[in-house]
Amino acid sequence: MSEAVTPESILRSHRIVVCVGTGGVGKTTVSAAFGLLAARSGLRTLVLTIDPARRLADALGIESLGNEPRRVSLPESSGNPGGDVALSAMMLDPKRTFDGLIERFSPSDEIRRQILDNPIYQHASGALSGSGEYAAMEKVLEMSESGDFDVVIVDTPPAQHVLDFLDAPRRLVEFLDSRLVKLLVHPAMAAGRWSVRVFQRPIQGVLQLLERVTGVGFLEDLSSFLLAIEDLSEGFKSRAERIEATLLGPKSAFVLVAGPSRESTRNAEQFLEHLVDMKARLRGVVINRIHRWPAQTPPADALLEDDVPEAEAKRLAVALSDGAAARATIDAVGDFARVAAQDARNVEPLRLRAERNRCFFRLVREQRRDVHDLDTLDQITAALEDVREGEVEGVSPPSEETLASPE
């Protein structure tokens, strides 16, 4: 693997860095750590989270985030001698972003008002399949093209399948082009106004039921919305194509974040296959919350096998002046050693995969406390910078028969 492939080199050579992975692996924390690393490298950096939880604000030690970039004040340090590092963060508001798309694509002020004031739109902008993810990808593109930032780091929402957000623009366009929408829109256009009589019998029955349940205003609202939105469909299509080309283009990099458990690493390998299928540019793998043996050499077999010699146990008992405390200490250290060895076994296939694909590979240790401020976040950033954190101690521990999985 080329020495040039490091987190910092990826941040410097790409405009968009997308952190992906399943839920619960700490993507938000890792994204914030990448943001801190990029900013301290002299890059004007934005960390954008699509996750509605406030974890990004917590990790950066600020009260709240909104739909516009907010500057993050960083204390002076060796990596930030002047205290003027350009780091910003924001949390996506899909509704506001989607409203902005309507304003951009509307051919006239009248159509814009018809859509934004329409009750159907006010619900559909949050409920249409893919609308939230489409808005997210639109905001990523907008921020990357704004000229205000050198790199945009994207914290994606929890997803079992990478297509959930990468394919959102295409799914929304497919909805607008769907047979159902055309079936509803075209008769209305031919009639010039809504009339249940112009529809084929199956659709006629559905609309009559909707009228009885919701009132006569429903059909007028739906007519107005669909007729107006059709004027915008070409704009949505062209923008969706641009978003897809940008995310899968040479200026975008993907970083896979995973946990060290067997389930998480299996999910990560499946995620990698999806990224390959989409021809996304994977540039790094980060294993978060891994248990690591602190010594340079793997733990002794005797410790892993819970077979510490009696003489060693007695020496520890003398040092602690308590035999029970010595036994409990040996048990606790042995438990940790076995968990660390199992984690090393679990992540080894991902390390080899990263090496074959010339990606950086980093291990972030399980932290003693939650990351809720810049001081604790800095420890994650240090792990991303340290090439030794890509090395797995104890990759060849005892056999499966010897090791009992802690999960």
Side-chain angles (χ1 to χ4, degrees):
M1 183 169 58
S2 172
E3 293 183 1
V5 183
T6 65
E8 186 173 349
S9 70
I10 296 305
L11 291 167
R12 288 190 174 280
S13 59
H14 295 84
R15 293 296 297 257
I16 301 172
V17 176
V18 185
C19 294
V20 298
T22 56
V25 297
K27 288 193 304 296
T28 300
T29 300
V30 172
S31 298
F34 270 111
L36 193 57
L37 175 60
R40 287 180 175 170
S41 300
L43 301 172
R44 296 172 302 160
T45 305
L46 173 67
V47 182
L48 187 158
T49 183
I50 302 173
D51 192 337
R54 54 165 290 119
R55 283 186 287 268
L56 179 60
D58 289 340
L60 295 173
I62 56 181
E63 287 297 322
S64 62
L65 292 172
N67 202 51
E68 296 299 328
R70 174 177 174 175
R71 190 69 172 263
V72 179
S73 297
L74 301 178
E76 291 192 28
S77 66
S78 58
N80 180 32
D84 58 352
V85 165
L87 175 62
S88 299
M90 64 179 292
M91 183 174 68
L92 180 80
D93 183 336
K95 179 67 168 62
R96 288 180 58 187
T97 301
F98 211 80
D99 288 349
L101 291 173
I102 297 299
E103 294 180 359
R104 175 181 300 174
F105 296 145
S106 293
S108 68
D109 290 342
E110 180 181 359
I111 291 178
R112 175 181 59 81
R113 285 193 301 271
Q114 286 179 2
I115 296 175
L116 294 178
D117 295 340
N118 189 287
I120 300 298
Y121 167 76
Q122 291 170 7
H123 171 73
S125 59
L128 286 179
S129 175
S131 61
E133 292 93 340
Y134 181 101
M137 295 302 99
E138 164 63 30
K139 181 61 73 173
V140 170
L141 184 61
E142 177 189 337
M143 292 293 103
S144 68
E145 294 181 343
S146 67
D148 296 331
F149 305 102
D150 298 314
V151 61
V152 176
I153 298 165
V154 185
D155 167 37
T156 58
Q160 292 295 328
H161 200 298
V162 70
L163 298 180
D164 285 347
F165 70 93
L166 283 183
D167 207 36
R170 186 182 306 167
R171 284 189 284 117
L172 185 61
V173 169
E174 287 174 353
F175 169 80
L176 295 174
D177 278 344
S178 68
R179 183 171 179 269
L180 174 62
V181 171
K182 293 183 182 301
L183 192 62
L184 292 174
V185 170
H186 291 170
M189 294 178 65
R193 60 187 298 275
W194 278 89
S195 171
V196 175
R197 290 191 301 274
V198 303
F199 290 97
Q200 296 176 358
R201 187 174 300 277
I203 299 299
Q204 177 181 342
V206 172
L207 294 178
Q208 287 174 333
L209 176 60
L210 288 173
E211 266 202 338
R212 288 197 300 271
V213 172
T214 64
V216 292
F218 174 83
L219 293 183
E220 295 177 1
D221 291 337
L222 184 60
S223 172
S224 175
F225 168 65
L226 290 176
L227 288 172
I229 202 74
E230 187 168 66
D231 292 331
L232 281 63
S233 61
E234 288 304 317
F236 278 116
K237 292 175 188 177
S238 61
R239 193 66 172 174
E241 292 171 357
R242 188 170 181 180
I243 291 171
E244 184 175 23
T246 299
L247 288 174
L248 301 180
K251 289 300 182 180
S252 295
F254 288 78
V255 174
L256 178 66
V257 183
S261 70
R262 286 181 175 178
E263 180 182 4
S264 183
T265 53
R266 282 196 296 264
N267 289 338
E269 291 188 77
Q270 294 174 1
F271 228 103
L272 283 174
E273 295 300 329
H274 295 317
L275 289 171
V276 169
D277 291 343
M278 295 195 69
K279 297 182 172 56
R281 288 170 166 78
L282 180 71
R283 291 294 179 261
V285 176
V286 176
I287 307 298
N288 192 32
R289 300 171 181 159
I290 191 170
H291 301 85
R292 303 194 67 192
W293 187 245
Q296 293 297 317
T297 57
D301 289 350
L303 189 60
L304 288 170
E305 298 169 8
D306 196 20
D307 189 25
V308 175
E310 189 64 26
E312 299 293 337
K314 287 181 178 179
R315 277 196 288 270
L316 182 60
V318 171
L320 295 176
S321 301
D322 189 325
R327 185 69 259 173
T329 300
I330 292 173
D331 290 343
V333 173
D335 289 344
F336 182 84
R338 285 186 286 275
V339 172
Q342 185 65 67
D343 281 1
R345 292 176 67 93
N346 292 341
V347 305
E348 178 65 1
L350 289 175
R351 186 191 68 80
L352 294 174
R353 184 75 174 267
E355 185 175 297
R356 287 196 299 271
N357 287 276
R358 301 184 68 249
C359 302
F360 69 78
F361 183 78
R362 292 293 184 272
L363 302 175
V364 178
R365 298 174 188 267
E366 176 76 30
Q367 301 299 302
R368 293 182 178 179
R369 55 194 177 110
D370 291 340
V371 177
H372 59 270
D373 56 31
L374 291 171
D375 289 337
T376 48
L377 181 65
D378 196 43
Q379 299 174 29
I380 311 298
T381 303
L384 296 177
E385 290 180 287
D386 190 353
V387 68
R388 290 173 299 179
E389 292 297 323
E391 300 170 358
V392 183
E393 302 103 332
V395 170
S396 300
S399 65
E400 289 284 356
E401 290 75 15
T402 300
L403 279 176
S405 173
E407 300 177 316

